[in-house]
Amino acid sequence: MTHLTTKQILQFTDGALDYASQAQCTQHLAVCERCRKEIDLQKAISKIARHQPPIQATSGFVQRVMAHIIPQQQKSWKTKLIDSLGNVFAMAMVLAILGYAISNPSLFQIQQQSKTQSFIPQSVSDTYAKFIQSVGQQAGEATQQVMKSTGRDNSNMISLTILSLLILGALDQFVLKRYLGMRMKH
Amino acid sequence: MYDQDRAVIERILGGDKKAYAELVERHKDKAMTLALKMLKNRQDAEEALQDAFVRVFNALPRFEWKSSFSTWFYRIVYNVCASELGKRNEPHQVSIQEDNEDAQAVELASDDTPPDVALESSELNAIILKEIDRLPDAYGPTFALFFVQDMSYDEIVEVTGLPLGTVKARLFRARMLLRNAVVKRIGNIDGSKQEKVA
């Protein structure tokens, strides 16, 4: 008996034969056990290959792709404003505090001296004052000249500036942007 | 799928860029199967796929619907992976010998009578899946496109850029290799079972 060719078996399995060839193959399969088994095996292979579980991408894949997509978008003027508003506000606050301190040196000097004398032991306050002075000396000639022109110790100014920057940085990062961002989303 | 893709793409082109996540979610796993078949390394496959998705997004405004989105998309995935293989000096070469599928039939068709197969057998399922993974590098992607992506020969030609004869020959050889390997494995299983009974 002449068996079906491998090509015929695959085409029969895929349903890719024309009507006449399909009928011819069906006739043969009715009497040929070998070809029937071959078709069964190919059908099993096709079925399992078609339903094999796809290999899953790792979790977070979509987010990683989208992270490449979203930065390509132009930020709206509102977003840009929110992003820059915090920084502008912080700088304005620092400048205002500095300006106030320069124009009123006696106020800060008295307050600082009284606090140091009442709450901090003398040895600690001396060390602190020396440290601040050494930082002040390294802060640059221009800054020192400004400090000297106000006629008071520059350590107060430097510590005040650092403190202001830290407070305003935290305010900008954790309060201002977050609050305004939430307002924008709603 | 076609209509769903089209609806999402229209939203993306209309300005809703976040909708692209839906498209990525829908196609990522099947595309990962193709990328892994080509690159044989999960990390490389995932990086290539990520690159492909970004390229697809950037090229979306130029997509003209001359083919289905999935055919166009898989062509980009295939090209990115082929380019990655090129960097490794492992280009996807087309062999002229592959073009004659009938010649391969003589070489590959086994004369042994296949054993009875129980279609729902989990053992058979495991054997076939394992043998699919062991297919030679040249046949894996074509096999995946045909069976996993459910593409026609013409669509595979469009995706891979291979000649039709090569696509047919690769699929034919892959299926015959699979068939012979499965027959051999089932035969061994039957033999060992008979030995145990005896």
Side-chain angles (χ1 to χ4, degrees):
Chain A
M1 183 188 293
T2 308
H3 294 294
L4 297 178
T5 65
T6 312
K7 192 177 175 182
Q8 281 175 313
I9 286 165
L10 292 180
Q11 285 182 326
F12 185 88
T13 308
D14 294 342
L17 287 171
D18 58 59
Y19 182 77
S21 306
Q22 178 90 8
Q24 205 177 0
C25 284
T26 309
Q27 257 185 340
H28 174 77
L29 289 173
V31 292
C32 179
E33 191 188 3
R34 184 185 183 279
C35 288
R36 258 202 320 274
K37 283 185 177 178
E38 199 72 62
I39 296 274
D40 285 346
L41 179 59
Q42 284 301 336
K43 278 183 178 171
I45 290 172
S46 295
K47 185 183 173 189
I48 291 164
R50 279 185 207 286
H51 293 98
Q52 61 179 307
I55 296 156
Q56 294 193 331
T58 52
S59 63
F61 178 80
V62 179
Q63 287 75 14
R64 284 197 295 282
V65 172
M66 292 309 288
H68 282 84
I69 302 299
I70 298 296
Q72 294 177 358
Q73 296 175 35
Q74 283 288 316
K75 287 181 177 177
S76 68
W77 66 270
K78 287 178 183 174
T79 316
K80 281 181 184 170
L81 184 67
I82 286 175
D83 285 350
S84 56
L85 202 60
N87 295 331
V88 171
F89 181 70
M91 284 178 71
M93 287 290 283
V94 169
L95 289 173
I97 290 168
L98 277 174
Y100 184 71
I102 290 166
S103 58
N104 300 281
S106 56
L107 177 68
F108 283 91
Q109 220 163 11
I110 291 160
Q111 282 181 350
Q112 186 65 29
Q113 277 171 3
S114 65
K115 275 187 180 177
T116 309
Q117 283 164 4
S118 56
F119 294 114
I120 305 169
Q122 191 64 37
S123 59
V124 178
S125 67
D126 286 344
T127 314
Y128 174 71
K130 279 179 188 173
F131 171 70
I132 294 297
Q133 252 179 339
S134 67
V135 172
Q137 281 167 1
Q138 292 167 11
E141 210 176 316
T143 314
Q144 280 183 11
Q145 279 175 359
V146 172
M147 299 300 171
K148 280 173 189 170
S149 70
T150 62
R152 62 184 189 82
D153 187 52
N154 58 13
S155 63
N156 284 345
M157 293 297 295
I158 302 269
S159 54
L160 193 65
T161 308
I162 292 169
L163 190 66
S164 306
L165 283 169
L166 286 173
I167 292 170
L168 291 169
L171 182 74
D172 174 46
Q173 188 64 35
F174 300 111
V175 181
L176 199 64
K177 275 186 189 170
R178 192 167 295 182
Y179 174 72
L180 287 174
M182 282 168 65
R183 296 262 302 176
M184 288 295 295
K185 279 179 190 171
H186 294 296
Chain B
M1 181 73 88
Y2 180 82
D3 288 340
Q4 285 175 336
D5 285 344
R6 187 160 200 144
V8 174
I9 289 165
E10 279 169 4
R11 276 167 55 203
I12 296 164
L13 295 176
D16 181 10
K17 292 183 171 57
K18 285 181 182 172
Y20 190 60
E22 286 179 40
L23 219 53
V24 178
E25 185 65 52
R26 190 176 301 154
H27 291 281
K28 68 181 168 67
D29 291 341
K30 284 188 174 182
M32 183 68 186
T33 307
L34 174 64
L36 197 57
K37 290 271 182 235
M38 291 181 76
L39 299 175
K40 301 282 180 187
N41 173 300
R42 198 179 177 96
Q43 195 181 341
D44 289 351
E46 200 153 300
E47 280 173 17
L49 195 56
Q50 199 168 298
D51 183 19
F53 271 116
V54 173
R55 286 184 193 207
V56 167
F57 178 83
N58 290 331
L60 268 182
R62 298 190 297 277
F63 179 48
E64 293 173 335
W65 295 101
K66 286 178 182 170
S67 60
S68 71
F69 169 76
S70 66
T71 307
W72 178 72
F73 164 70
Y74 283 112
R75 187 164 69 228
I76 293 175
V77 174
Y78 185 90
N79 286 340
V80 170
C81 293
S83 157
E84 183 61 32
L85 285 174
K87 285 180 201 164
R88 294 187 199 164
N89 290 325
E90 297 174 28
H92 247 41
Q93 289 177 340
V94 179
S95 165
I96 295 166
Q97 291 177 336
E98 286 182 284
D99 283 352
N100 190 342
E101 66 187 76
D102 290 324
Q104 302 303 330
V106 177
E107 192 183 314
L108 287 167
S110 173
D111 285 336
D112 50 359
T113 305
D116 288 318
V117 289
L119 290 181
E120 302 304 324
S121 157
S122 60
E123 209 165 29
L124 180 69
N125 196 71
I127 288 170
I128 291 174
L129 289 179
K130 195 163 186 175
E131 292 302 330
I132 288 172
D133 279 343
R134 291 173 62 183
L135 280 174
D137 294 356
Y139 305 146
T142 315
F143 191 86
L145 288 169
F146 187 76
F147 284 110
V148 180
Q149 273 78 32
D150 204 20
M151 287 186 176
S152 67
Y153 289 131
D154 289 339
E155 285 172 322
I156 297 172
V157 165
E158 205 177 321
V159 168
T160 60
L162 295 170
L164 181 63
T166 304
V167 169
K168 283 185 175 178
R170 285 188 180 187
L171 259 174
F172 185 89
R173 292 194 70 173
R175 294 171 86 174
M176 282 304 102
L177 283 173
L178 207 52
R179 179 254 179 222
N180 290 344
V182 170
V183 167
K184 197 176 170 187
R185 292 279 297 271
I186 293 176
N188 288 342
I189 290 166
D190 286 348
S192 62
K193 276 179 184 169
Q194 281 169 2
E195 277 171 24
K196 279 179 189 172
V197 171

